[in-house]
Amino acid sequence: MRAVTWQGKRDVRVENVPDPAIQEPTDAVIRITSTGLCGSDLHLYEVLTPFMTPGDILGHEPMGIVEEVGAGVPDLQVGDRVVVPFQIACGNCWMCLTGLPTQCETTQVHGEGMGAALFGYTRLYGSVPGAQAEYLRVPQAQFGPIKVPQGPPDDRFVYLSDVLPTAWQAVAYAGVPQGGSVAVLGLGPIGDMACRVAQVQGAGRVFGVDLVPERLRRAKERGVETFDLRSFDDEKELVAAIRDQTDGRGPDAVIDAVGTEAHGSAAARLVQNTAAILPRKLGAPIAERFSIDRLAALYTAIDLVRRGGTISLSGVYGGMADPLPLLTLFDKQIQMRMGQANVRRWSDEIIPYLTDKDPLGVDDFATHRVPLSEAPRAYEMFQRKQDGAVKVLMQP
């Protein structure tokens, strides 16, 4: 089959690789009909290269048709249309039953000290072949795949794999009170969708911050009060402008949908780039022990949120030596919640919103649809924020 493989920093290629097959009774194999390009994929493209191996298959946002089912998967049949969550979880362990499939005790990557295995996401999360491919082996298929009806286009459901539950969890963790206010830092796919989720769940005011014109335009058209970062001399001016809209306090909650790729911190970027270009045997220990993130977005969130408010982190951070302003966090009595989205925890709540009325705007959420063969160009375009790219879907 054809699949998108990682070959080095900013080097992805579409290559022929072996077809997946059933290996365990709880496996299924699906033929992928749509697969997303995620902002998290750009971390592999740019930052997390010490944890990658040339030939790794990328991607974790698929949907498709079941082609083969193991004997231990009673609820799936060949021909079923399914969305596959990005994490791999059993559904039966204590963590899964507690609503934390990202911490699944069956699939935790114990050798790396990490949580549940993920599709297409480095050796830290199991080196599981990813979903930017023609076919995908799905472990733990007795729990993971979400069956969806035939008929509507893939765009209606594909975001159940990651974008929708990640944005849903970001808003849930933010604890925005009814009629309250929330600021979303970063209006990429997750930030954009988080704004929409906050609106349908009753937030009174939603502020969106970005510096990419297309992203700002999309959010503004849906009623978000947008702030163009380029219009301010520094983050302090931005914070002051939003506080002016909230009686001088700041919003009730802030969602950081940017993560480690925020602008700023030349020192952090130097460490990231150094680890990325060194041989893997040298770069990986540096990244694991001494990695620090570019924390501009998080620092802004800490400054911006009102006293007693909540910060919800959905942007990916990977630093082990990040300096945090604990005095400010303590003094302002800020609550923080974070983590990978627990897809199956939220999927049943989300599905009723994927109706003909389309309140979340999923049908036209993608800005680009490209064949899988154009993946290298899609990565470059998305990473450079060219051609108005906000969300890219690929069809094998």
Side-chain angles (χ1 to χ4, degrees), residues 125-190:
Y125 289 100
S127 295
V128 181
Q132 291 169 4
E134 293 179 311
Y135 294 90
L136 177 70
R137 170 181 167 255
V138 182
Q140 304 296 330
Q142 80 287 349
F143 174 68
I146 303 164
K147 287 196 281 189
V148 297
Q150 305 287 346
D154 282 5
D155 291 48
R156 181 63 57 90
F157 304 113
V158 67
Y159 305 115
L160 281 169
S161 59
D162 183 350
V163 173
L164 278 167
T166 298
W168 200 272
Q169 179 172 292
V171 175
Y173 280 9
V176 186
Q178 283 292 306
S181 57
V182 58
V184 179
L185 307 182
L187 297 174
I190 302 303

Side-chain angles (χ1 to χ4, degrees), residues 48-289:
L48 297 179
T49 58
F51 306 109
M52 300 294 290
T53 301
D56 283 349
I57 300 174
L58 302 174
H60 57 270
E61 296 187 348
M63 70 174 293
I65 305 298
V66 176
E67 293 282 303
E68 192 176 357
V69 181
V73 186
D75 296 329
L76 283 186
Q77 297 181 349
V78 172
D80 282 344
R81 190 185 192 197
V82 296
V83 178
V84 180
F86 69 87
Q87 74 248 188
I88 300 167
C90 71
N92 296 314
C93 69
W94 187 89
M95 285 291 182
C96 286
L97 294 174
T98 308
L100 294 169
T102 55
Q103 311 303 326
C104 175
E105 293 171 320
T106 301
T107 71
Q108 279 179 19
V109 186
H110 295 289
E112 301 290 345
M114 304 299 280
L118 309 179
F119 288 104
Y121 215 77
T122 81
R123 68 170 172 80
L124 295 177
Y125 289 100
S127 295
V128 181
Q132 291 169 4
E134 293 179 311
Y135 294 90
L136 177 70
R137 170 181 167 255
V138 182
Q140 304 296 330
Q142 80 287 349
F143 174 68
I146 303 164
K147 287 196 281 189
V148 297
Q150 305 287 346
D154 282 5
D155 291 48
R156 181 63 57 90
F157 304 113
V158 67
Y159 305 115
L160 281 169
S161 59
D162 183 350
V163 173
L164 278 167
T166 298
W168 200 272
Q169 179 172 292
V171 175
Y173 280 9
V176 186
Q178 283 292 306
S181 57
V182 58
V184 179
L185 307 182
L187 297 174
I190 302 303
D192 186 340
M193 186 58 72
C195 289
R196 303 179 187 204
V197 171
Q199 289 172 323
V200 301
Q201 291 193 358
R205 301 185 72 177
V206 179
F207 307 105
V209 179
D210 208 293
L211 45 67
V212 180
E214 175 65 18
R215 295 178 175 186
L216 291 161
R217 181 191 63 78
R218 278 165 56 100
K220 188 173 184 178
E221 287 176 352
R222 295 188 67 90
V224 176
E225 300 176 56
T226 57
F227 292 79
D228 187 342
L229 195 57
R230 299 168 303 170
S231 300
F232 302 92
D233 290 336
D234 53 35
E235 281 76 11
K236 293 292 184 182
E237 285 192 5
L238 168 70
V239 168
I242 298 177
R243 279 181 179 162
D244 285 346
Q245 300 297 314
T246 55
D247 297 323
R249 298 188 188 93
D252 298 307
V254 176
I255 296 171
D256 174 0
V258 178
T260 190
E261 287 197 308
H263 295 275
S265 185
R269 183 168 181 81
L270 176 62
V271 173
Q272 291 173 350
N273 288 339
T274 299
I277 64 176
L278 287 172
R280 290 175 64 241
K281 288 185 177 180
L282 297 176
I286 288 175
E288 286 182 281
R289 298 179 185 179

Side-chain angles (χ1 to χ4, degrees), residues 4-17:
V4 180
T5 64
W6 184 92
Q7 299 297 333
K9 184 174 180 177
R10 300 181 189 170
D11 182 3
V12 300
R13 306 174 195 173
V14 180
E15 297 188 321
N16 288 313
V17 301

